[in-house]
């Protein structure tokens, strides 16, 4: 860790392309809870997903940074240093979240 105590590993929820893929992960892998994975809203499956969903909805809490640039430290995913890629992925994630909320 650096002086800002930045993490050195990341959860990879951001790389899923649909709620179905996320639910498959939570029903089959290390978090294996099939009933919850298929019935609960995304934000109720995991604290990281809760944070990601609130961010996509534009809800900022004391647990979240206002934006990527406001994150302290140097340990950030390289992929997201490209603002265009970051914005495009955020739009995809927002779409995933909105589809889940409308189910």
């Amino acid at each position: 860790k650096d002086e800002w105590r930045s993490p050195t590993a990341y959860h990879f929820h951001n790389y899923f392309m649909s709620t179905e893929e996320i639910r498959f992960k939570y029903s089959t892998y290390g978090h294996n809870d099939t009933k919850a994975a298929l019935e609960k809203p995304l934000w109720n499956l995991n604290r990281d997903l809760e944070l990601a969903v609130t961010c996509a909805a534009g809800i900022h809490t004391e647990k979240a940074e206002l934006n990527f640039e406001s994150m302290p430290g140097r340990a950030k995913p390289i992929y997201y240093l490209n603002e265009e890629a970051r914005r495009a992925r955020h739009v995809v994630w927002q779409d995933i979240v909105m589809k889940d909320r409308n189910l």
Side-chain angles (χ1 to χ4, degrees), residues 1-2 4-11 71-77:
K1 292 189 176 197
D2 57 22
W4 297 281
R5 301 185 55 77
S6 301
T8 56
Y10 296 91
H11 292 278
M71 289 172 52
R74 299 182 303 258
K76 299 177 184 178

Side-chain angles (χ1 to χ4, degrees), residues 25-41:
K25 173 197 185 281
Y26 280 90
S27 67
T28 58
Y29 291 93
H31 308 289
N32 191 358
D33 186 349
T34 303
K35 183 175 173 145
L38 298 176
E39 296 177 2
K40 288 183 178 181

Side-chain angles (χ1 to χ4, degrees), residues 21-97:
E21 290 179 7
I22 295 169
R23 292 180 186 290
F24 180 77
K25 173 197 185 281
Y26 280 90
S27 67
T28 58
Y29 291 93
H31 308 289
N32 191 358
D33 186 349
T34 303
K35 183 175 173 145
L38 298 176
E39 296 177 2
K40 288 183 178 181
L42 284 182
W43 59 88
N44 282 337
L45 294 179
N46 178 281
R47 287 186 318 195
D48 293 329
L49 280 172
E50 179 183 11
L51 181 62
V53 168
T54 57
C55 178
I59 301 166
H60 299 285
T61 68
E62 68 280 352
K63 297 177 184 176
E65 297 296 328
L66 291 176
N67 56 49
F68 186 81
E69 288 80 16
S70 72
M71 289 172 52
R74 299 182 303 258
K76 299 177 184 178
I78 292 172
Y79 178 78
Y80 291 118
L81 295 177
N82 179 311
E83 184 176 348
E84 186 176 329
R86 188 171 66 241
R87 289 181 189 271
R89 181 58 202 163
H90 188 67
V91 169
V92 170
W93 179 245
Q94 286 176 313
D95 186 53
I96 290 169
V97 169

